[in-house]
Structure formats: structure tokens, C-alpha cells
């Protein structure tokens, strides 16, 4: 897995305690060996000063050692290196009869470097703790908005991944969910225009409306209508708070019948066309000819509910523009259809992993937009999860 992967992935429940410790040290097995690099630098300076000509005093460079330690070690380790470095300077001056001894100003320079290195180490750790607290808060927000989706729920198998363009943000305007209902599983994925907390608020509002309406309304057109009303109410609410500009969202709403009938229902609010993937072929479902959520007043009607052929063994892939608009250094878009055509594993997890790796490889990990990927497929032997009881 690429080390450039930002958040934790697929169906894996995260808690703030799962976040790695601050600045993990350099380790060999279970041993912390981050101190070895400053120690090696100190040894190199001592040997160089010992063997250097008398007119060249390398020992004054010893102030680099605690500065180096401040970047990778804790405060106490940095302080220990500072003390050792001062002792080394004094020891070398007393043991060697130099024609060019270290002056007071040079010694004070080393002392100053040691003191500032200890302070820098303390400030670095303090800043890192503050960043980690912010990441924990962002992670809690993500769990509140994008709840973990079980790998098997409501008669489908699922897999998903969310890649945040900014590591500390964890969540943005991209959203998705799978809702088991008495009318079959229903799926929603979309992308709110813009960034910031107002985009997250809009995504949370749409997801909450979807989770309730999709469960109680048999007609997918009614679910689509409720989503449109919800984003309008959200825009009215934020306008009362003095925020300018209205949010809108592209989205795909999918309904699968309880039994495999060889089709699905779909409402596309101006979003990218989903893909259907089997072991034999890959094809795109109809693109969104309707306006995004929040802008349907421009056309005076909601996008229609389309019944689309969809075999039971196929995997449905939904994604946001972080995938479709992923570019390499030359500005070339990711050839998603070609990537999917080469898939050896067409299960939801296999498809999500393929897309995730393709995006990170194509962009070299330099994501310019949040990326959400969701894949679902009918479960041939669904467990009795009890989530669709009236």
C-alpha cells in the first residue's frame, strides 16, 4: 500500500485513539534508535576535530548535534545531547593543547545552540500535540458525517474509501452511504460544491435526510424530492447565519430491488456516471442529465428515475470527481475505464482497492480534491442483519 495514503480506508472503523503516536521514532524492531543519528554526527565531529589541522577547529560545529536531535527526538533526549555536547567541547579543550583554542564567543555560540535546540524540541512537540488534537476532532466529525458502512449490509456487500486532499481535514463535501430498507438496499453518493465547514454541514444534512427517507419511502422519486427539499432548507438556514452563496451537490441515488430482477433504479443529479463491472466487461451507466441538488428550480423538475439493466453478479462503482478529474504531472486524466477493464478481482473490495491505488499512482499522491469511492454488489447469501424490520 502506498505510504501516501491519507485516511484509513474501507469499512474500517476509526476512533481518535487509532491515530498514530506523535512523530513515531525511528525504530528497529521494538527499539527506538532515533538517537543514533545525532550520536553518529557527534562522533563524526569529534573525530574530525581530533584529526584536523590545528588552525581548523571543527568542534564548533557541535552545536548542530542538539539541533539535529530536536527534529527527531524528545525534549529530554535533546537536552541530554546538549549536555553531552557541552561536555565534549570542554573535554576536547582540556585534553588537546591547541595553538588555536576556542574563544569565549565560540563557546557561547555552542551554548546558545544547545539551549535553543531544547526550546525548539519543546515547541515542536507542543505544536504536534495541538495538530493531533485538531486531527482527532476532524476524525470525530468524519465519523459523525460518514459513518462506517459494514462490509455486508441489507443484502449487499460493500467497500469504500475516502481520501482527503488535506490530511488534517479528514472529511469534506464528499459523502456516501448505504441504507438497508424494506424496499431493498439504497445507495447515495455525492459531492457538495465548495469546501469548509458549510460543505460538511450540507453533506451531513443530505445524509441524514437520505437515511430516514430512503427507509420509509417506497418510491425512489420521493426520496429524490426529499433530498432536494433538504438542501434548499439547509441553504435557507445558513443564509440566516449571514453566510453568502448557496450550496448545491451532484449526487447519484440508487435503489436495488429486494430480489435480483436484473435491474436497478437510479436518479442522477448531474453526477459522474457510475460503472458496472463483471468478470467479462465494464460499462458506464447513464450519465446525469438532471441538475444538481439545490438547483432544480432552474429546470422546474427533478431528474427522472431511470430503470437500468444491472445483473446480480455485477459490482456497482460510484465515485466523486477526485477520481474522474485525477491528473498526472502532464495534466492527463486518469483512464478509469481502462483501469477497471484490467481488474482481476471484481468484488467490491477489489474494485475499491484498484481505484484507490490507481488514483494515488496517477497523481503521485498529490491529491487536489477529496476523493470518495463506494462499491456495492448483491450478496448471494445475505446475513439476517435485522436492519430492515418495520
Amino acid at each position: 500500500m502506498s505510504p501516501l495514503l491519507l485516511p484509513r480506508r474501507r469499512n474500517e472503523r476509526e476512533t481518535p485513539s487509532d491515530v498514530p503516536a506523535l512523530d513515531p521514532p525511528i525504530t528497529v524492531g521494538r527499539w527506538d534508535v532515533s538517537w543514533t543519528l545525532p550520536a553518529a554526527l557527534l562522533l563524526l565531529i569529534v573525530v574530525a576535530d581530533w584529526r584536523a589541522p590545528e588552525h581548523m577547529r571543527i568542534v564548533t560545529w557541535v552545536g548542530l548535534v542538539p539541533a539535529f536531535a530536536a527534529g527527531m527526538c524528545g525534549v529530554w533526549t535533546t537536552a541530554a545531547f546538549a549536555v553531552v555536547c557541552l561536555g565534549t567541547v570542554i573535554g576536547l579543550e582540556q585534553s588537546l593543547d591547541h595553538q588555536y583554542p576556542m574563544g569565549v564567543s565560540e563557546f557561547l555560540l555552542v551554548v546558545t545552540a544547545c539551549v535553543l535546540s531544547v526550546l525548539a524540541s519543546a515547541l515542536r512537540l507542543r505544536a504536534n500535540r495541538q495538530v493531533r488534537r485538531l486531527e482527532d476532532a476532524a476524525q470525530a466529525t468524519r465519523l459523525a458525517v460518514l459513518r462506517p458502512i459494514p462490509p455486508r449490509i441489507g443484502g449487499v456487500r460493500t467497500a469504500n474509501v475516502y481520501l482527503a486532499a488535506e490530511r488534517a481535514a479528514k472529511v469534506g463535501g464528499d459523502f456516501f452511504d448505504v441504507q438497508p430498507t424494506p424496499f431493498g438496499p439504497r445507495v447515495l453518493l455525492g459531492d457538495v460544491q465548495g469546501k469548509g465547514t458549510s460543505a460538511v454541514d450540507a453533506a451531513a444534512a443530505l445524509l441524514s435526510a437520505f437515511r430516514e427517507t430512503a427507509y420509509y419511502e417506497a418510491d425512489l422519486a420521493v426520496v429524490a424530492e426529499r433530498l432536494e427539499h433538504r438542501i434548499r432548507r439547509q441553504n435557507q438556514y445558513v443564509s440566516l447565519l449571514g453566510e453568502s452563496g448557496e450550496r448545491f451537490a451532484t449526487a447519484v441515488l440508487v435503489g436495488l430491488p429486494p430480489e435480483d430482477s436484473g435491474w436497478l433504479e437510479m436518479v442522477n443529479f448531474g453526477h459522474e456516471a457510475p460503472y458496472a463491472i463483471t468478470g467479462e466487461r465494464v460499462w458506464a451507466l447513464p450519465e446525469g442529465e438532471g441538475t444538481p441538488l439545490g438547483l432544480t428550480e432552474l429546470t422546474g423538475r427533478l431528474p427522472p428515475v431511470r430503470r437500468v439493466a444491472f445483473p446480480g453478479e455485477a459490482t456497482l462503482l460510484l465515485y466523486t470527481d477526485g477520481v474522474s478529474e485525477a491528473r498526472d504531472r502532464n495534466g492527463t486524466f486518469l483512464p478509469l475505464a481502462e483501469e477497471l477493464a484490467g481488474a482481476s478481482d471484481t468484488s467490491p473490495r477489489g474494485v475499491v482497492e484498484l481505484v484507490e491505488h490507481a488514483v494515488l499512482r496517477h497523481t503521485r499522491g498529490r491529491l487536489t480534491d477529496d476523493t470518495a469511492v463506494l462499491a456495492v454488489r448483491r450478496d448471494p447469501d445475505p446475513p439476517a442483519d435485522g436492519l430492515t424490520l418495520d
Side-chain angles (χ1 to χ4, degrees):
M1 179 59 201
S2 169
L4 296 169
L5 178 62
L6 305 177
R8 197 180 295 249
R9 55 198 182 114
R10 301 168 288 283
N11 298 322
E12 188 173 343
R13 185 175 183 85
E14 298 180 28
T15 63
S17 61
D18 292 328
V19 180
L22 291 175
D23 288 340
I26 302 173
T27 58
V28 175
R30 294 183 298 175
W31 297 97
D32 177 4
V33 296
S34 56
W35 59 272
T36 59
L37 296 180
L41 178 60
L42 176 60
L43 180 61
L44 179 64
I45 292 174
V46 171
V47 172
D49 185 72
W50 192 287
R51 299 176 64 88
E54 283 197 4
H55 67 277
M56 182 180 297
R57 298 309 312 275
I58 308 297
V59 71
T60 55
W61 295 5
V62 79
L64 295 175
V65 173
F68 195 37
M72 61 179 59
C73 302
V75 176
W76 290 109
T77 304
T78 304
F81 271 110
V83 172
V84 170
C85 288
L86 292 176
T88 300
V89 170
I90 296 173
L92 285 174
E93 288 300 299
Q94 292 179 349
S95 62
L96 299 178
D97 185 16
H98 272 288
Q99 183 180 355
Y100 303 94
M102 178 183 291
V104 175
S105 61
E106 294 171 313
F107 181 75
L108 291 178
L109 179 63
V110 174
V111 172
T112 303
C114 291
V115 173
L116 292 180
S117 296
V118 175
L119 293 176
S121 178
L123 291 174
R124 177 181 64 85
L125 293 178
R126 180 181 178 183
N128 283 348
R129 282 192 291 268
Q130 179 65 21
V131 170
R132 190 51 46 87
R133 283 193 290 267
L134 293 175
E135 289 186 349
D136 288 348
Q139 184 64 25
T141 301
R142 180 188 176 191
L143 290 174
V145 177
L146 293 179
R147 64 181 182 182
I149 303 175
R152 303 176 72 186
I153 180 173
V156 292
R157 294 179 180 268
T158 74
N160 63 82
V161 65
Y162 190 102
L163 303 177
E166 297 182 9
R167 181 175 181 268
K170 297 290 185 182
V171 66
D174 293 9
F175 59 92
F176 55 81
D177 198 16
V178 177
Q179 178 66 47
T181 78
F183 321 106
R186 286 171 171 175
V187 182
L188 177 68
L189 179 139
D191 183 5
V192 177
Q193 164 266 340
K195 299 182 182 296
T197 56
S198 58
V200 177
D201 288 343
L206 287 170
L207 285 173
S208 63
F210 167 73
R211 289 162 185 163
E212 289 303 309
T213 308
Y215 185 87
Y216 290 107
E217 297 294 341
D219 190 349
L220 201 65
V222 176
V223 180
E225 183 179 7
R226 296 291 177 84
L227 292 175
E228 171 64 20
H229 290 169
R230 187 65 185 90
I231 191 68
R232 290 187 194 176
R233 289 166 49 206
Q234 178 69 15
N235 285 332
Q236 292 173 357
Y237 176 79
V238 296
S239 67
L240 296 177
L241 298 176
E243 295 186 18
S244 59
E246 294 187 349
R247 296 290 183 181
F248 61 88
T250 63
V252 179
L253 174 64
V254 176
L256 294 165
E259 303 296 333
D260 180 15
S261 304
W263 52 267
L264 57 75
E265 290 184 327
M266 183 177 71
V267 182
N268 194 322
F269 294 91
H271 198 77
E272 303 285 346
Y275 277 96
I277 305 118
T278 65
E280 292 75 30
R281 66 188 184 108
V282 175
W283 69 100
L285 302 185
E287 292 186 356
E289 71 281 7
T291 54
L293 288 164
L295 297 179
T296 57
E297 288 182 338
L298 299 177
T299 60
R301 63 183 181 86
L302 292 168
V305 178
R306 293 189 175 276
R307 180 170 292 191
V308 181
F310 186 77
E313 70 277 9
T315 294
L316 178 67
L317 173 67
L318 303 101
Y319 53 92
T320 58
D321 55 8
V323 175
S324 58
E325 297 182 4
R327 302 190 188 199
D328 61 13
R329 290 182 175 180
N330 299 322
T332 304
F333 290 107
L334 172 69
L336 181 58
E338 295 179 13
E339 295 283 350
L340 295 175
S344 58
D345 181 2
T346 60
S347 67
R349 180 172 182 176
V351 169
V352 167
E353 286 183 347
L354 184 149
V355 175
E356 176 186 11
H357 293 170
V359 170
L360 291 174
R361 182 184 67 252
H362 191 73
T363 62
R364 296 182 179 270
R366 299 179 179 87
L367 301 176
T368 58
D369 197 2
D370 293 345
T371 302
V373 183
L374 174 64
V376 298
R377 185 170 70 182
R378 285 193 176 277
D379 194 340
D381 185 23
D385 50 36
L387 293 176
T388 58
L389 299 178
D390 291 331

